Amino acid sequence: MERWRKLHGRRLDHEERTRKRAAREGHKASQDAQNLRGLRAKLHQQKRHKEKIQMKKAIKAHEERNVKTADEKEPSTPMPSYLLDRTNPANAKALSSAIKNKRAEKAAKFDVPLPKVRGISEEEMFKVVKTGKKTNKKSWKRMITQPTFVGPDFTRRNPKYERFIRPMGLRYKKCHCTHPELGVTIQLPIISVKKNPQSPLSTQLGVLTKGTVIEVNTSDLGLTTASGSVVWSRYAQVTNNPANDGCVNAVLLV
């Protein structure tokens, strides 16, 4: 698209069409709000609620920046440096509000749908496997009783050196991902396990529990960035308990 634009340019009425499209967005949002039903209506209402909060914050910040106090006048006599800041408290207030808004935006960037999850004990996650011929059987092996993810080129180690056993029946390769803004669910391949909140060992072993952040292949969704390049992978958080449900459900972090 960019190459075509460089070679042939845009339509003559491109700016006018863009302006009209932007003007129609309000009507489309109103129509969607009136006609949507069920879960899509709830998601749309949550999105609009967040947008209105941000808009009110921005308006409030502009009002605080433009406000002028009664004491703010040009002094007839020179003032000492330690009294200069006292004449204009409105600027300090607007600055503190801007800093708070920036911090809130930064925190929202790393926000996840499930911020808190229940901890799982080692007895619930690992099962002791005893091995050896002798009377005192050694119990240094562990079998993982939770669903796991292993890469496509995974091969088991020699049983003599295998410390953690991941059963084949509990290995998952795909998950049902839901796009929160589009409201659609599609089955996507799992690329890797990014972070398991239970422990670093669970992350290393690829254990899939509730709240785990995974990386999924989003090439089938056709998502693109602002520059037009295709988004091949995105992070998602597991929202269900795969050990109970027999499948992995996740929400994309957009």
Side-chain angles (χ1 to χ4, degrees), residues 76-104:
S76 56
T77 58
M79 292 184 67
S81 59
Y82 58 85
L83 289 177
L84 286 175
D85 290 338
R86 295 189 185 183
T87 57
N88 195 2
N91 286 348
K93 191 176 179 183
L95 188 62
S96 66
S97 297
I99 292 170
K100 284 179 185 175
N101 289 339
K102 279 187 180 178
R103 282 179 183 167

Side-chain angles (χ1 to χ4, degrees), residues 8-27:
H8 305 284
R10 296 182 184 271
R11 290 171 59 115
L12 295 176
D13 57 346
H14 172 74
E15 287 78 12
E16 184 67 14
R17 286 163 62 90
T18 307
R19 183 189 65 78
K20 287 184 177 180
R21 191 181 298 116
R24 284 194 299 266
E25 283 180 358
H27 299 283

Side-chain angles (χ1 to χ4, degrees), residues 186-239:
I186 188 170
Q187 195 178 50
L188 299 176
I190 302 173
I191 297 175
S192 65
V193 175
K194 186 67 179 174
K195 176 76 175 177
N196 190 315
Q198 302 298 336
S199 65
L201 179 62
S202 303
T203 306
Q204 186 180 353
L205 293 172
V207 179
L208 299 171
T209 56
K210 190 172 184 178
T212 305
V213 177
I214 58 177
E215 190 177 4
V216 294
N217 187 352
T218 56
S219 57
D220 292 343
L221 285 175
L223 301 176
T224 56
T225 60
S227 61
S229 57
V230 178
V231 179
W232 295 106
S233 65
R234 273 278 174 88
Y235 291 143
Q237 189 181 31
V238 178
T239 54

